[in-house]
Amino acid sequence: MTTRGVLYIHSAPRALCPHVEWAVSGVLGVRVSLDWIRQPAAPGHWRAELSWQGEPGTASKLASALRGWQLIRYEVTSEPCAIAEGERYSSTPALGIFHAVTGMHGDILIPEDRLRAVLLRAKTEGSDLEADLARLLGKPWDDELEPFRYAGEGAPVRWLHQVV
């Protein structure tokens, strides 16, 4: 069983670009050479996109391989398949990493227990329910990444099929 997804490197300093390729190659099991283009939203940074196909869980492996690199912004998505829901990972230097499970239409699926916890915290601690729900939906990450997404319109996308 395979799934498909996309890796978006929204911004990376030039010096990290070969290291990103090396990390992605390690996850996919094939040599990866990305088409890097300048990122106008962050002078001195570069961006790239890669469409991939692999086993369910590949998105989490890609996100883990890039996690902790404080100078890059990225997103990894995977489509749902017969044995797994879809996933979305977003990462920024300021916010760290965000993970969401996605349904077949791309909607974020929030587990019941997380919703109950947010409601309880609002009731007992007076937390900001709207802000907590926005965080569960990844809004802070979307807000930070949006200028980098627009800066990348028209960028080439290449398909890479993992050998299984």
Side-chain angles (χ1 to χ4, degrees):
M1 184 61 54
T2 62
T3 186
R4 296 183 304 179
V6 182
L7 168 65
Y8 303 94
I9 304 295
H10 292 298
S11 71
R14 187 65 171 161
L16 285 181
C17 294
H19 299 283
V20 168
E21 291 177 354
W22 178 79
V24 172
S25 295
V27 171
L28 298 178
V30 295
R31 188 174 179 341
V32 172
S33 179
L34 299 173
D35 293 326
W36 294 96
I37 60 172
R38 293 186 186 278
Q39 173 53 275
H45 283 72
W46 296 76
R47 67 173 323 283
E49 296 179 13
L50 176 71
S51 294
W52 55 268
Q53 183 172 326
E55 295 177 358
T58 299
S60 64
K61 291 176 184 175
L62 287 167
S64 293
L66 299 175
R67 185 179 186 160
W69 294 13
Q70 296 300 315
L71 299 176
I72 66 172
R73 291 172 181 86
Y74 66 90
E75 290 181 279
V76 185
T77 63
S78 71
E79 296 178 0
C81 64
I83 62 169
E85 299 287 354
E87 294 183 283
R88 174 180 157 212
Y89 293 87
S90 302
S91 183
T92 73
L95 298 171
I97 197 163
F98 168 78
H99 171 255
V101 174
T102 57
M104 64 184 210
H105 298 294
D107 296 323
I108 291 177
L109 307 176
I110 301 172
E112 180 180 335
D113 289 342
R114 292 183 76 188
L115 288 172
R116 289 182 194 282
V118 165
L119 290 171
L120 181 63
R121 193 169 41 251
K123 182 179 178 181
T124 60
E125 301 172 17
S127 68
D128 183 347
L129 181 59
E130 185 176 353
D132 288 345
L133 289 174
R135 189 165 176 81
L136 284 177
L137 293 169
K139 186 174 181 339
W141 286 265
D142 286 338
D143 291 345
E144 187 171 328
L145 290 172
E146 199 62 22
F148 296 90
R149 292 173 181 148
Y150 281 117
E153 285 184 5
V157 176
R158 290 187 2 206
W159 279 95
L160 183 66
H161 301 280
Q162 180 179 0
V163 177
V164 180

